Amino acid sequence: MTRVFSGIKPTGHLTLGNYLGAMRQWAAVDQHQADALFCVVDLHALTVHHDPARVRRLSRQSATLLLASGLDPALCTVFVQSHVDEHARLSYLLECVATDGEMRRMIQYREKAAREQRRGGSVRLSLLTYPVLMAADILAYGTDEVPVGHDQTQHVELARDLAVRFNQRYGHTFVVPRATNPSVAARVMNLQEPSSKMGKSDDTGPGIVYLLDEPDVVRKKVMRAVTDSGRDVVYDREARPGPANLLEILAACSGGNPEALAGVYESYGDLKRDTAEAVVEVLRPVRERHKELCADPGYVEGVLRDGAERARGMARPTVDAAYRAIGLLPAGADTGSPVLNAAR
């Protein structure tokens, strides 16, 4: 079977964008059609200033919501990144293959570093090197496909480049992965700033629908969504991003087509009401299952423990092979040195 790997970073509460753009696809399609691994990439949350207790809390919540969204441990592997040492082991080897220039060209690093510089500060070194850790996440498992949004494609391209370079220099070790982009609702935009992605790290609130928002909160946020001064409902992503965002969300929730739905509505009020109800209904089973899982924390802990053990078994042979290929002495190897042998 094709092997699929994808991860979610616990830097904020998961949103409608995470669900419609990724998690629903993972549960409905990927875990049934592939040998799939889904990971809470908690090490990536350490690249910025963070509260340790909050990272732990969000890591557990993210894992619970992955299960609540429909991921089945009998069909896929669900685990936490830091529970599998092979991620960090392989990351350093790949740092020895990557170049400084490659890292500094990564869009997210450039944007965040520039923003911090304007504030008179600087970013952590781990922010520069975390794309290599992301490559290690992917390459450790012999991943064939990485389902990502378009904004993350650059990171998969780096993983491909590092895999090819390592293979050429040290012998064939890694599968060269490819990015796959979801075609529907790949980018759900902020309800208050429809030109910006609905990101979980943005805590502004009013423009973001969180998966655990109560139904009335969801309705209030959608009803207050930014539209424009136009009187007719038209689907035009470039010229009218606010209405287009609502139509895309409604289409993703109802299985419709944004352009066709635009012709159904004569007012933004009706569009907002129907979109709000569609979102409430899509999220209802996720919220209900999350509540059930929170009442049984031992089950979630068991899933993560078993998932880490399974993931470790998949990753270790590849990472061990990479250590040998790059020239590192295997643990317990007979070096042939009389001094070392006598010291044993």
Side-chain angles (χ1 to χ4, degrees):
M1 295 179 69
T2 298
R3 180 162 290 175
V4 168
F5 176 94
S6 198
I8 202 152
K9 187 162 57 174
T11 50
H13 298 289
L14 299 184
T15 72
L16 178 67
N18 296 127
Y19 181 69
L20 294 181
M23 296 162 64
R24 185 171 64 170
Q25 169 83 10
W26 297 348
V29 178
D30 292 336
Q31 68 172 342
H32 298 282
Q33 296 183 355
D35 181 8
L37 299 99
F38 301 106
C39 180
V40 178
V41 287
D42 53 344
L43 294 176
H44 292 293
L46 310 186
T47 60
V48 295
H49 177 73
H50 64 278
D51 172 18
R54 185 170 188 263
V55 170
R56 284 191 291 269
R57 184 171 64 253
L58 289 175
S59 295
R60 174 179 287 277
Q61 184 186 88
S62 297
T64 305
L65 281 168
L66 287 177
L67 297 174
S69 71
L71 292 186
D72 183 349
L75 299 175
C76 65
T77 303
V78 181
F79 66 105
V80 175
Q81 179 189 34
S82 64
H83 295 177
V84 180
D85 293 344
E86 278 63 30
H87 292 254
R89 289 180 61 208
L90 181 55
S91 182
Y92 180 72
L93 295 196
L94 295 179
E95 284 187 14
C96 297
V97 176
T99 67
D100 175 75
E102 283 177 313
M103 296 301 97
R104 296 187 186 278
R105 285 195 296 271
M106 302 301 286
I107 293 172
Q108 292 191 23
Y109 170 77
R110 289 165 55 192
E111 291 178 347
K112 292 181 179 180
R115 187 162 57 244
E116 286 301 314
Q117 189 174 29
R118 288 194 296 270
R119 296 172 180 171
S122 62
V123 297
R124 299 182 180 189
L125 178 61
S126 56
L127 185 66
L128 177 66
T129 60
Y130 95 92
V132 177
L133 175 59
M134 185 180 294
D137 298 338
I138 297 166
L139 299 181
Y141 296 100
T143 302
D144 298 296
E145 296 182 356
V146 187
V148 292
H150 292 280
D151 59 328
Q152 292 293 323
T153 301
Q154 185 185 37
H155 292 109
V156 182
E157 288 302 316
L158 175 67
R160 289 174 56 85
D161 291 343
L162 295 181
V164 170
R165 191 177 306 154
F166 192 102
N167 290 347
Q168 289 175 342
R169 290 181 181 176
Y170 306 113
H172 185 79
T173 306
F174 299 116
V175 173
V176 179
R178 59 185 178 275
T180 57
N181 301 124
S183 58
V184 179
R187 288 175 65 86
V188 177
M189 312 307 280
N190 189 299
L191 295 174
Q192 293 297 316
E193 299 177 22
S195 60
S196 301
K197 185 178 176 181
M198 186 183 286
K200 61 181 178 299
S201 299
D202 181 0
D203 292 327
T204 55
I208 304 170
V209 175
Y210 297 105
L211 297 188
L212 297 179
D213 277 346
E214 294 291 335
D216 285 345
V217 173
V218 173
R219 294 185 182 101
K220 184 179 295 185
K221 289 180 177 179
V222 176
M223 292 303 296
R224 293 179 178 177
V226 168
T227 51
D228 55 36
S229 58
R231 294 183 178 181
D232 54 338
V233 178
V234 175
Y235 178 71
D236 187 331
R237 165 53 67 187
E238 297 299 322
R240 305 178 72 175
N245 188 36
L246 290 172
L247 288 165
E248 289 182 355
I249 292 172
L250 177 58
C253 291
S254 64
N257 176 280
E259 294 181 357
L261 286 170
V264 174
Y265 293 96
E266 297 181 355
S267 72
Y268 289 146
D270 290 340
L271 172 61
K272 289 180 177 181
R273 276 189 287 274
D274 283 0
T275 302
E277 292 307 316
V279 172
V280 167
E281 289 307 310
V282 160
L283 296 185
R284 188 184 305 281
V286 178
R287 292 179 60 254
E288 291 175 352
R289 179 58 178 154
H290 178 267
K291 185 176 180 180
E292 294 173 359
L293 291 169
C294 287
D296 187 8
Y299 172 75
V300 177
E301 291 174 3
V303 168
L304 297 180
R305 183 176 58 251
D306 293 345
E309 182 177 355
R310 191 185 312 163
R312 199 175 301 117
M314 295 182 196
R316 182 164 294 170
T318 298
V319 177
D320 285 350
Y323 267 60
R324 291 191 299 271
I326 206 170
L328 298 178
L329 188 68
D334 186 348
T335 63
S337 166
V339 175
L340 290 177
N341 289 337
R344 288 194 179 121

